[in-house]
Amino acid sequence: MSNDTICAIATAPGRGSIGVLRISGKALAGMARDLVCVEPEPRKALFCDFHGEDGEILDRGIALFFPAPNSFTGEDVLELQGHGGRVVLESLRERVIALGARQARPGEFSERAFLNGKIDLAQAEAIADLIDADSRQAARSALRTLTGEFSQRIQSITALLTQQRVLVESAIDFSDSDIEVLQVEQLRQSLADLLERLDRIRERSRQGALLNQGISAVLAGLPNAGKSSLMNRLSGQQTAIVTEIPGTTRDVLSQRILLDDLPLQLIDTAGLRRSADVIEREGVRRARDAIDGADVILLVVDASLFPDCARGLGADELLHVLEPLEDFLEDEEDRAELLRRTCIVLNKIDLLPIPPAAEQACLEDIELPVIRISAKDGSGIELLAAHLKRFVAYEGGEDAFVARARHLEALDEARWQCQSAMDKLTAQAALELIAEDLRLAQAALGRITGEVTSDDLLGEIFSKFCIGK
């Protein structure tokens, strides 16, 4: 870790009533005297002038000093809370740099807090997740992780793993026939308990990941099927232009909304059809890229083309409905994967008229959700929202931990290794193999909290933080 003194403006860019400059490092005592002309008392707000090189007053505000190790970073920390004008804050920052500090990298304050043992890696990531939270539920989930609840659960599982490793490794030097030394049944019960605990924390973490990252849903289909109208209905604003002219949408439009605290990235796309228009062809290409990357495909269909759809869609009708996706359905494996992400949205039921409904249609042993709606009057929209939440098994996240993809991957690996140890125990495999499975499971959990990590991972994580955090 660098011994440099670092500084950064910790408040958001722009004008504001208050602006904060944060400084952390080992050379703050002299720097503080040069800035405020006195040595601030620890953890006591000092109202004072902030001085420039020649003694001129750059600003007036509050100075707060937090001596090591009782600070956020674990180092001496000085915060200058002055006025929020850009020129004022930049003048203060330049003054601090002239006194020997350097501009902090994104996330470097949190990185130092981690390296100095003030927080673990999961807690550090939760800081950024709390700042970026889209909803109160997501913020509460991030706060649970930031306060250490998630890490405590991981540590309790790690402690149990350590006990089982001691049990197995202490038996390796004894005869295989001495079954009491290994206490097989005790180990079996402990492994079953570990698997159950991992399943519970995995589910709570998965709900937190949904709150944190959300899902993406692409609106696809033929021109004039009502994709843009549905985009506007779901987003609650006139995001997309809607006309009676087919092919109005030429580009990809994106809008982030919330469905009961579940973030949903809605993506409206150009109508899928062949065209001689070079602009429309590019729009269709971009629509295909969006379809490839989406979690769920809402295939919007003009219900008036199927006047009998209230009785359900038959196989021939399904094939006709799926024609806009035909370019994606060449490979059988890719075809099945695409269809499993697809929900057929029969729009414009107000023209028939028929009631809204959510049902299933079957095509080659793949069940496709079919939801009848009207983007014009809002009929059936609640059924569509319920399907999207059900599709990702979103349960509300009341007790979720905020989590990232790497956390879920580590939990999956830890569970896989514990299950492997259980299988080997049942098969009476060599104790060394069971011990190795348990070691790898513990290492996987260590990556979550940062007990086992790499400099490359730290660089990737903290580089995405705000500057000054």
Side-chain angles (χ1 to χ4, degrees), residues 377-392:
D377 63 22
S379 301
I381 293 298
E382 72 284 354
L383 297 175
L384 180 57
H387 165 72
L388 289 169
K389 289 183 286 185
R390 189 167 53 251
F391 177 79
V392 293

Side-chain angles (χ1 to χ4, degrees), residues 26-81:
K26 297 181 178 180
L28 282 186
M31 189 177 294
R33 285 192 295 270
D34 287 335
L35 283 167
V36 301
C37 294
V38 295
E39 188 168 334
E41 294 183 47
R43 292 173 295 281
K44 184 176 180 180
L46 173 67
F47 180 66
C48 58
D49 295 331
F50 306 148
H51 294 272
E53 183 178 2
D54 298 323
E56 80 275 21
I57 298 175
L58 300 177
D59 195 10
R60 174 174 292 178
I62 300 294
L64 283 168
F65 177 57
F66 304 92
N70 300 315
S71 69
F72 173 70
T73 63
E75 304 170 336
D76 287 348
V77 171
L78 179 67
E79 288 193 0
L80 303 179
Q81 302 178 7

